[in-house]
Amino acid sequence: MKAVAYQQALAISEDLSLQDIELPKPNASGKDLLIKVEAISVNPVDTKIRANVSAEQGQWKVIGWDAVGTVEQVGDQAQLFKVGDKVWYAGDLTRAGSNAEYQLVDERIVSLAPTSIPTANAAALPLTALTAWEMLFDRLQVSKTEPKSILIIGAAGGVGSIMVQLVKQLTKLKVIATASRPETQAWLKELGADQIINHRNPLSEELAEQNNIDYVVSLNNTDEHMAEIVKVIKPQGKFGLIDDPAELDVKLLKLKSISLHWEFMYTRSMFQTEDMIKQHELLSEVATLIDQGKIKSTLGEHFGQINADNLKQAHAFIESQKAKGKIVLEGF
């Protein structure tokens, strides 16, 4: 089968950072599905893994954790799907990824794909939808009925783009989103954000208030915003993040008794948690919301066919931190 992979962790500008190769086609067993990959999207995690984690000696590392495809083979213990089903998923960080023609995925983290949108549009959503949903409802346990407020920092990217929509559709929260460029601010307005502020300026000045936000979610550059986050969040408020700040002074949270919540979408699959099947259920709910017309794809750019050259361009664009929505590639 065709695949895009690498052996040594390198900068994306290096020729060998991503390569077109051939690998053996795998077979499904146990709870696994063998899925023929049709479209993928690229996430910041792809760039981080590629830049920092080399393949095992003599092996190839296939990355990519978002895909839509068709079930080609069902493992002997799998019960949720049949051959021919169109599915979507975000995969498992500990296994070979979706930058290949075929991929093995545990059925508990897969659901039927939405039927009302094109394959490429659907591929933009699984990882970010799971991350946003888990952050909101599993980690922060945001109220679905109370008219509270949430500040989403870095909201124009993949996770923020779907988080804004989920909050607007499923809760009564006021959504305050941050973006620094006219085009990303316009994007967030289109997605339904109630208020948009510029994170290039101090958050407390942009909001013209302190001690007033119930929930704050930081999606990037958390260390730069930490002092301002503490200023604007309410006493006993909840603060969540998904990035990897080099330093994080949690003592700043003490005076207000602010709770800290870290979301890592791969926790359930990586540790085979008892509730691992919840990702199957969450993706099913998101597919229903899409097919009901309540939320839309966050596809920002289509970079063409799945190959090393196009994936290199996608990685470089994400690393530039100028991406709006998600980057998708389709077909081999």
Side-chain angles (χ1 to χ4, degrees):
M1 67 174 183
K2 294 179 181 178
V4 179
Y6 68 92
Q7 293 183 310
Q8 184 181 355
L10 295 167
I12 198 61
S13 56
E14 297 287 337
D15 289 342
L16 301 183
S17 59
L18 292 171
Q19 302 173 57
D20 292 308
I21 64 166
E22 291 280 339
L23 290 173
K25 180 180 174 181
N27 289 300
S29 62
K31 292 183 179 296
D32 278 349
L33 308 172
L34 179 65
I35 298 169
K36 182 175 175 59
V37 175
E38 297 171 18
I40 63 170
S41 68
V42 185
N43 293 281
V45 65
D46 300 49
T47 68
K48 293 174 185 176
I49 296 294
R50 185 218 74 242
N52 296 289
V53 183
S54 295
E56 293 183 17
Q57 186 69 32
Q59 300 297 310
W60 290 95
K61 191 167 186 65
V62 178
I63 59 176
W65 291 281
D66 254 339
V68 176
T70 301
V71 177
E72 180 150 313
Q73 192 180 59
V74 176
D76 56 302
Q77 296 176 31
Q79 300 177 340
L80 300 175
F81 302 94
K82 63 183 185 302
V83 172
D85 281 344
K86 188 76 164 283
V87 297
W88 66 343
Y89 54 91
D92 179 344
L93 197 64
T94 66
R95 305 184 71 178
S98 55
N99 295 352
E101 281 188 281
Y102 296 92
Q103 183 183 8
L104 291 174
V105 186
D106 190 302
E107 69 169 359
R108 292 171 291 177
I109 57 174
V110 175
S111 93
L112 293 175
T115 59
S116 61
I117 60 175
T119 298
N121 295 60
L125 288 167
L127 185 149
T128 52
L130 284 168
T131 300
W133 191 298
E134 289 182 355
M135 172 61 85
L136 291 170
F137 303 114
D138 293 346
R139 311 299 171 231
L140 296 176
Q141 298 183 332
V142 302
S143 170
K144 291 186 178 182
T145 59
E146 296 179 89
K148 294 187 174 183
S149 59
I150 185 168
L151 170 64
I152 304 172
I153 300 170
V159 174
S161 295
I162 188 65
M163 185 177 286
V164 168
Q165 296 184 77
L166 289 175
V167 173
K168 293 302 294 182
Q169 287 298 322
L170 302 176
T171 81
K172 297 186 181 303
L173 300 182
K174 176 184 178 181
V175 178
I176 306 163
T178 85
S180 60
R181 292 176 287 136
E183 60 269 32
T184 50
Q185 291 172 350
W187 168 253
L188 289 171
K189 186 175 182 180
E190 182 183 335
L191 294 177
D194 298 298
Q195 182 179 350
I196 301 163
I197 64 174
N198 189 340
H199 51 238
R200 300 292 183 195
N201 303 322
L203 300 175
S204 59
E205 293 181 11
E206 286 283 297
L207 290 168
E209 58 188 351
Q210 298 186 21
N211 307 317
N212 205 38
I213 307 297
D214 296 284
Y215 308 100
V216 176
V217 176
S218 181
L219 302 176
N220 51 44
N221 301 317
T222 297
D223 40 359
E224 295 178 18
H225 301 295
M226 191 65 180
E228 287 294 309
I229 288 168
V230 174
K231 285 183 184 179
V232 301
I233 198 167
K234 277 185 178 179
Q236 303 182 88
K238 294 184 177 183
F239 165 50
L241 70 159
I242 66 169
D243 62 337
D244 304 289
E247 294 183 0
L248 192 68
D249 187 359
V250 295
K251 293 192 298 295
L252 294 172
L253 307 177
K254 182 176 181 179
L255 288 181
K256 288 187 176 180
S257 296
I258 298 166
S259 58
L260 174 67
H261 306 263
W262 226 307
E263 160 60 15
F264 187 53
M265 193 280 300
Y266 301 106
T267 297
R268 285 181 162 126
S269 56
M270 182 177 287
F271 293 97
Q272 299 276 303
T273 61
E274 292 178 357
D275 66 348
M276 183 173 164
I277 198 168
K278 191 166 183 183
Q279 292 199 335
H280 160 76
E281 297 165 354
L282 296 184
L283 285 173
S284 296
E285 290 193 55
V286 173
T288 298
L289 288 170
I290 290 169
D291 289 338
Q292 290 174 343
K294 293 181 177 178
I295 60 175
K296 65 179 184 178
S297 173
T298 56
L299 187 154
E301 303 273 351
H302 195 306
F303 272 46
Q305 199 172 42
I306 304 168
N307 59 43
D309 285 344
N310 289 342
L311 274 167
K312 284 179 182 179
Q313 291 182 49
H315 279 231
F317 192 44
I318 286 177
E319 289 176 348
S320 75
Q321 293 196 341
K322 294 180 180 178
K324 179 189 74 176
K326 293 292 293 295
I327 298 171
V328 169
L329 298 91
E330 189 173 13
F332 282 86

